[in-house]
């Protein structure tokens, strides 16, 4: 877990390639010691690095491994993260129907968990998919629900999904909502600063 937490911080400060090296070290330790559950969680967490690096085929393969194992164990944070991150890739590739099926499984569970880390991963993808299906009202409704769910959360969870959230708002003409997502948000880590700068540029 320490490797995973460190890698998550490094991703925001030094980038996904540096973070992936640390995630791999944590995975190696888990494999050596037979710590399958935490190893699977680590796999779900590194999917964001693979997305940022453009290694989407590897992301899909790893997500499928997590979904298979975690599903057999009754589900967890890991399966929700894997489902949403795979759905994100499928949506950006234009494979909207399978993306919608996946996010349809992740979204109810995310609501049950109600952890800002999970909400900030799942809801932007769900909103993106609704937009791609031609449902801007439903997409904006999800953005508003997320806003309420993470409004009092640390800046990390609010800043990371900003680019996709603002794109959804802009496409629906919801400029007031888009601006409100940025209100009072101050970040220091380079990765979060990029998210905030992208959102401001879109506005």
């Amino acid at each position: 877990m320490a490797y995973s937490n460190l890698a998550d911080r490094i991703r925001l400060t030094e980038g996904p390639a540096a973070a992936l090296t640390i995630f791999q070290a944590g995975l190696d330790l888990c494999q050596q010691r037979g710590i399958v559950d935490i190893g699977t969680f680590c796999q779900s967490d590194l999917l964001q690095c693979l997305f940022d690096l453009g290694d989407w085929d590897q992301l899909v393969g790893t997500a499928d491994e997590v979904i298979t194992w975690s599903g057999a164990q009754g589900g967890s944070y890991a399966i929700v993260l894997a489902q949403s991150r795979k759905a994100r890739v499928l949506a950006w590739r234009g494979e909207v129907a399978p993306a919608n099926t996946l996010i349809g499984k992740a979204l109810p569970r995310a609501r049950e968990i109600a952890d800002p880390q999970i909400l900030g991963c799942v809801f932007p993808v769900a909103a993106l998919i609704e937009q791609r299906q031609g449902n801007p009202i439903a997409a904006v409704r999800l953005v508003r629900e997320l806003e309420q769910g993470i409004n009092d959360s640390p800046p990390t969870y609010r800043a990371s999904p900003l680019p996709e959230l603002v794109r959804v708002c802009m496409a629906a003409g919801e400029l007031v909502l888009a601006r409100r997502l940025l209100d009072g948000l101050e970040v220091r880590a380079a990765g979060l600063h990029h998210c905030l700068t992208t959102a401001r540029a879109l506005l």
Side-chain angles (χ1 to χ4, degrees), residues 100-119:
N100 189 51
T101 299
L102 270 177
I103 209 66
K105 297 174 182 176
L107 192 58
R109 184 72 179 115
R111 288 187 173 113
E112 291 173 12
I113 295 171
D115 185 323
Q117 297 179 73
I118 299 295
L119 297 176

Side-chain angles (χ1 to χ4, degrees), residues 48 51-52 56 84-85 87-93 103 119-129 131-132 139-140 142-143 146 158-172 177-178 181-182 194-196 198-200 202:
Q48 182 61 48
F51 184 90
D52 293 342
W56 290 5
S84 63
R85 286 170 172 161
R88 186 185 187 193
V89 168
L90 295 177
W92 279 107
R93 284 178 163 174
I103 209 66
L119 297 176
C121 287
V122 175
F123 272 78
V125 178
L128 171 68
I129 292 169
Q131 182 197 57
R132 294 294 171 90
V140 170
L142 287 165
V143 174
L146 176 62
R158 294 171 55 206
S160 293
L162 273 178
E164 278 172 328
L165 295 177
V166 170
R167 285 187 178 101
V168 167
C169 291
M170 298 293 286
L177 174 58
L181 294 172
L182 278 68
H194 295 331
C195 292
L196 189 54
T198 299
R200 286 173 176 157
L202 287 164

Side-chain angles (χ1 to χ4, degrees), residues 35 57 77 123:
I35 312 171
D57 289 338
Y77 273 45
F123 272 78

Side-chain angles (χ1 to χ4, degrees), residues 73-90:
Q73 304 303 312
S76 68
Y77 273 45
I79 194 170
V80 177
L81 290 173
Q83 287 168 335
S84 63
R85 286 170 172 161
K86 179 181 177 181
R88 186 185 187 193
V89 168
L90 295 177

Side-chain angles (χ1 to χ4, degrees), residues 8-9 11-14 154-163 185-200:
D8 195 47
R9 298 299 92 192
R11 182 179 66 82
L12 296 175
T13 55
E14 297 180 29
T156 299
Y157 307 132
R158 294 171 55 206
S160 293
L162 273 178
L185 193 56
E186 296 182 6
V187 296
R188 296 190 179 188
L192 298 177
H193 183 71
H194 295 331
C195 292
L196 189 54
T197 300
T198 299
R200 286 173 176 157

